[in-house]
């Protein structure tokens, strides 16, 4: 009790000479502590797991070991639904091929097997990339006819749409050995890509194995050539830009990318990129496309060993990644396929243009920590005192030092914590910031053919010392504080999470910054930024400088998701559910900020609409 009285006297004394509130540097440690952060979703090195689907066969996921890591790469074998699928029986000379599937739509048991794997990962708080094929064992093409393939593609697209919060990236697959899209013809690949896009939600990003498929899908094939050549597949060409802006393609351009199973294995990534006629889509053309249009699209694949001929410098190095990784927005690699090639980087000290890391870490650690996004607080200024019902002002410089961007985690909130000898009070308020727009740096290039100029460490020949954008995102939220907040000192934290409600969301997909680990509050999944004092001695000054009211709304702050037959609704005043025939089957008005609504409806697909003040958000759901 004595401590509490003394504190009160100090606070009263403080306000006796405060004349005006001011922005104060919080004097934090603003360096990257070079720590591995395993739980941040949708980035890093994946663990692989494949499983086989057959008609009527339910998988025992527990014994199958499907989910054992926070970031998975699921490989789904659909051979049981292809009449062209086969396997071996017998040994030695008596070994023969036998059929193992019959062409037809995926049955509900198999679809539920996929849901169970994704649900298991969701419960763990994990994320994944996912690929389906008919030959996960890489024995040879076992694809069904294209009609069956497109039916399966549509079924998977609809299923994946229920898992935007789990699926980081879809590697389309569906064709060829190991799903590397080596058979079936690029025209069919483009059809499958379009089918997937039309039947999946806008938050699901999808990649194909070859840039030529993207070029063909965009209609950029040279009409005067019998070869599949695409001279206009270049982000700066007029034809490319006109196509990208057209109504048929504009909705999809920020959803389509590549996955690369020959990642950095040679100058052309083992044939992923072309080097001249008849395939003129060079590495630089593809990288330029990804640099501009792939800001919101994942990129990655199997990190492989060096296959460049003797005398040609390897590019599967941390040094090369320090250049090209930022341009391609690389977010993941397949860990089990990387093997000794990726692990070899652990024997080499990283030397590159990132001076904060050069000479201080191994190449493997540098790559591991820069795949995807990585947030570092570089400066934090907070108003030192706020009046009752006033606004909390902050100026925070948050640098994304990673190669890519956060594409999955949607909510930014401020956590305010007051701790006394007997109690802890926590308040969470919206920040009015889109955390998917905290972008990584953009390089300023010197040469139009960087690969030819690359000699190993000659970064000054490739790019300017100062990038076009250094990845430092300046955040300046102004947040109205509730009038019933207790007076005294408050600690301020920034929370980036999937749902923005620490009381109910179980810290699902919270992002930890790379500063001192002591700044990360595990209980609320938030990152410390500093402190301020709340007092009725401070005058509240009203202005119109972009204040984010506690009840302020924009379309990004309305949220609805569906788990375990329960709708979770945030910032909506009305919820409607329609069946696919357009009939409203459920309607509810709500006056609370967060509400859980049980849905008891027949099995099937439905569309949910959440409304508030003329703004809406929709979600397609499946009830099983």
């Amino acid at each position: 009790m004595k401590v509490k009285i003394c504190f009160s006297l100090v606070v009263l004394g403080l306000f006796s000479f405060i004349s005006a509130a001011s922005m104060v540097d919080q004097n934090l440690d603003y360096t990257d502590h070079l720590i591995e952060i395993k739980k941040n979703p949708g980035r890093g090195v994946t663990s692989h797991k494949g499983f086989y689907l057959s008609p009527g066969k339910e998988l025992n996921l527990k014994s199958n070991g499907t989910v054992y890591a926070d970031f998975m790469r699921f490989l789904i074998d659909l051979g049981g639904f292809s009449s062209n699928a086969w396997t071996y029986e017998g040994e030695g000379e008596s070994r023969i091929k036998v059929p193992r599937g019959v062409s037809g739509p995926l049955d509900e048991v198999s679809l539920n097997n996929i849901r169970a794997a994704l649900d298991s990962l969701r419960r763990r708080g994990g994320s994944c990339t996912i690929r389906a094929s008919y030959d996960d064992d890489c024995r040879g093409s076992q694809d069904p006819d294209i009609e069956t393939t497109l039916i399966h593609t549509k079924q998977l697209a609809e299923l994946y749409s229920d898992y935007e919060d789990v699926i980081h990236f879809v590697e389309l697959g569906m064709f060829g050995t190991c799903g590397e899209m080596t058979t079936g013809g690029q025209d069919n690949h483009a059809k499958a890509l379009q089918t997937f896009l039309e039947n999946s939600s806008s938050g699901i990003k999808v990649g194909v194995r070859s840039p030529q498929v993207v070029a063909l899908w965009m209609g950029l094939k040279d009409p005067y050539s019998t070869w599949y050549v695409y001279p206009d597949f270049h982000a700066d060409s007029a034809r490319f830009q006109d196509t990208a802006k057209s109504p048929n393609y504009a909705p999809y351009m920020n959803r389509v990318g590549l996955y690369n199973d020959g990642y950095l294995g040679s100058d052309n990534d083992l044939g992923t990129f072309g080097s001249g006629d008849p395939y003129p889509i060079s590495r630089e053309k593809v990288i330029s496309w990804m640099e501009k249009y792939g800001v919101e699209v994942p990129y990655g694949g199997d990190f492989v060993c060096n296959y460049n001929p003797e005398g040609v410098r390897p590019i599967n190095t941390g040094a090369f990644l320090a250049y090209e990784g930022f341009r391609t927005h690389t977010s993941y690699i397949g860990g089990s396929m990387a093997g000794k090639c990726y692990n070899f980087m652990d024997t080499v000290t990283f030397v590159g243009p990132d001076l904060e890391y050069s000479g201080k870490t191994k190449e493997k650690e540098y790559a591991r920590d820069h795949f995807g996004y990585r947030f570092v607080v570089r400066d934090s200024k907070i108003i030192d005192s706020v009046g009752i019902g006033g606004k909390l002002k902050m100026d925070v410089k948050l640098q994304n030092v990673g190669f890519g961007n956060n594409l999955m985690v949607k909510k930014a909130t401020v956590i305010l914590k007051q701790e006394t000898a007997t109690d802890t009070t926590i308040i969470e308020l919206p920040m009015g910031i889109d955390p998917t727009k905290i972008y990584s740096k953009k390089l300023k290039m010197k040469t139009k053919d960087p690969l030819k100029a690359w000699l190993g460490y000659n970064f000054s020949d490739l790019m300017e010392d100062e990038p076009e954008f250094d990845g430092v995102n300046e955040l300046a939220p102004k947040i109205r504080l509730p009038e019933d907040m207790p007076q005294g000192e408050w600690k301020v934290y920034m929370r980036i999470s999937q749902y923005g409600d620490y009381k109910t969301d179980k810290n699902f997909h919270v992002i930890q910054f790379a500063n001192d680990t002591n700044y990360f509050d595990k209980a609320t999944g938030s990152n410390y930024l500093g402190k301020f004092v709340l007092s009725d001695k401070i005058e509240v000054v009203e202005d119109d400088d972009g204040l984010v009211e506690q009840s302020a709304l924009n379309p990004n702050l309305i949220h609805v998701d569906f788990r375990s037959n329960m709708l979770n609704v945030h910032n909506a005043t009305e919820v409607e559910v329609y069946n696919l025939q357009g009939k409203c089957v459920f309607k509810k008005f709500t006056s609370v900020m967060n509400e859980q609504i049980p849905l008891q409806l027949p099995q099937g697909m439905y569309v949910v609409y959440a409304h508030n003040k003329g703004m809406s958000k929709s979600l397609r759901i499946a009830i099983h």
Side-chain angles (χ1 to χ4, degrees), residues 113-132:
N113 284 332
I114 301 174
R115 292 188 184 101
L118 293 170
D119 285 338
S120 178
L121 190 57
R122 177 184 277 158
R123 288 192 298 272
R124 184 186 178 91
S127 54
C128 71
T129 66
I130 191 166
R131 182 196 305 185

Side-chain angles (χ1 to χ4, degrees), residues 129-182:
T129 66
I130 191 166
R131 182 196 305 185
S133 73
Y134 304 92
D135 177 35
D136 188 45
D137 286 331
C138 303
R139 290 172 173 162
S141 175
Q142 302 181 44
D143 313 347
D145 57 87
I146 184 59
E147 289 77 14
T148 300
T149 300
L150 295 180
I151 290 173
H152 295 166
T153 301
K154 180 176 184 293
Q155 288 181 285
L156 293 174
E158 293 174 344
L159 186 156
Y160 294 161
S161 296
D162 294 334
Y163 294 92
E164 284 187 23
D165 60 334
V166 176
I167 297 175
H168 172 60
F169 194 41
V170 175
E171 300 174 349
L172 184 62
M174 306 304 293
F175 298 92
T177 302
C178 304
E180 290 201 36
M181 305 185 74
T182 52

Side-chain angles (χ1 to χ4, degrees), residues 276-293:
D277 290 334
Y279 304 110
I281 305 183
S282 66
R283 185 183 201 99
E284 181 57 24
K285 284 186 177 182
V286 178
I287 301 308
S288 296
W289 158 59
M290 297 173 74
E291 184 175 34
K292 183 173 183 178
Y293 289 90

